[in-house]
Amino acid sequence: MSIRPDSTMFAALHGELVSHPWRDPHVASSDAYSLFVARSSAMGWLTEATENASGGLWGMNDAGQGPDSGSDPSRIAWFQVSLTEPVPDGRPLPVQAFLSCAGDVVARIGTPRLRAVQLLLPVQSLDASSRVRGVIPLLQEAGWFADVDPRLRTPVRVTLDGGQEPSIRSAAPEMLRWMRGFTQDVFSCDSFSLTDDDTVLKPAVIDELWRGPARHRATFSGVLAEWSLDALGWLAAFLAEASSQNGVGTPLMLTADRPEGSRSHVD
């Protein structure tokens, strides 16, 4: 299995989780790690940890359940994988599949109430010089959200942190223009800000994985088709494409939440 050291994807789900009353947390096969392996294998997303293995999207690194030290909102679960092959030209980062798998695992454990998501995006795995068509699959996949109840539309805040690499700050204005150049109804970006916000969740991965610690940020505000891991996965991949196309070639820590007091009409 050809796991590369610079291809880590990490996801932490934050909020509340009410465990299913029938579930036995002491059964090893039902912990977050084992469930993620089983689910991603069943969906064809897991590259087996064997010599010269092929196929799949990622190799399993680690996963866990339960809160970290003092994050607000509290962490429900976290997952870490490594992309096993370079992202093919014309394809986005597989963030939607990654979050879908994470969501399926959490739903097996209990009933979640999602308040924030943090993602490490290996933007450097995208080859900006040959990715003119990289956004096309995302625009096609946007059709999945065409029939979403309009009452589910909700304001979101998405912060991209480049750690010690400042390129995200200079890229932000062009990223906004780039995103507005496409017709899609999943995410309408209203504005961006380079002002630091102390309420953003602190990164929960070691600095070596993404050029941390946190320092250089850009925050994009807009309206998302629905507050779901499905839509957030699409948005994360879209922002990774926007970053890569506008000069960012290093990992980004994405944090998405809903501004205080904002909810969809059917929450």
Side-chain angles (χ1 to χ4, degrees):
M1 182 171 56
S2 56
I3 291 179
R4 293 168 292 119
D6 63 346
S7 60
T8 299
M9 286 200 305
F10 170 88
L13 311 186
H14 291 254
E16 295 85 38
L17 180 67
V18 179
S19 295
H20 296 314
W22 61 83
R23 180 175 173 270
D24 183 353
H26 303 295
V27 177
S29 61
S30 68
D31 64 14
Y33 182 98
S34 299
L35 287 170
F36 190 92
V37 168
R39 185 57 173 165
S40 55
S41 178
M43 299 302 290
W45 296 328
L46 182 69
T47 303
E48 298 298 332
T50 58
E51 192 69 27
N52 300 319
S54 60
L57 299 173
W58 56 67
M60 190 64 190
N61 289 165
D62 206 354
Q65 182 192 348
D68 54 3
S69 55
S71 68
D72 184 23
S74 180
R75 189 175 66 194
I76 296 173
W78 60 274
F79 307 89
Q80 184 174 311
V81 302
S82 290
L83 299 180
T84 46
E85 299 294 341
V87 178
D89 187 28
R91 294 299 309 172
L93 283 175
V95 195
Q96 220 170 350
F98 184 39
L99 282 186
S100 175
C101 193
D104 288 346
V105 168
V106 168
R108 272 285 191 264
I109 295 171
T111 302
R113 185 182 181 191
L114 186 69
R115 292 180 56 195
V117 171
Q118 192 170 77
L119 282 162
L120 177 60
L121 302 175
V123 175
Q124 73 280 4
S125 295
L126 302 175
D127 184 358
S129 65
S130 63
R131 296 192 58 80
V132 177
R133 301 186 314 177
V135 74
I136 292 178
L138 288 170
L139 297 178
Q140 293 172 336
E141 292 159 15
W144 171 249
F145 300 95
D147 295 325
V148 169
D149 187 339
R151 295 177 300 167
L152 291 175
R153 297 187 67 81
T154 184
V156 293
R157 175 184 66 169
V158 185
T159 296
L160 296 174
D161 194 321
Q164 300 301 294
E165 167 56 51
S167 57
I168 186 61
R169 296 176 68 88
S170 57
E174 289 303 321
M175 288 173 62
L176 179 62
R177 282 189 279 271
W178 185 90
M179 288 188 284
R180 288 177 171 174
F182 297 100
T183 301
Q184 48 82 22
D185 294 323
V186 187
F187 178 64
S188 174
C189 190
D190 300 327
S191 63
F192 75 92
S193 171
L194 302 180
T195 303
D196 288 338
D197 188 339
D198 291 337
T199 66
V200 175
L201 285 167
K202 294 180 180 178
V205 298
I206 60 174
D207 294 341
E208 289 75 13
L209 287 178
W210 71 289
R211 300 195 183 182
R215 182 176 180 184
H216 296 288
R217 297 172 178 168
T219 298
F220 296 87
S221 298
V223 178
L224 191 63
E226 62 181 14
W227 180 250
S228 68
L229 289 175
D230 201 10
L232 288 167
W234 187 97
L235 175 56
F238 189 55
L239 286 169
E241 288 289 336
S243 303
S244 179
Q245 286 291 313
N246 289 283
V248 179
T250 54
L252 291 174
M253 187 66 69
L254 178 152
T255 304
D257 61 11
R258 295 190 282 187
E260 193 66 30
S262 67
R263 294 291 185 270
S264 66
H265 293 297
V266 294
D267 274 352

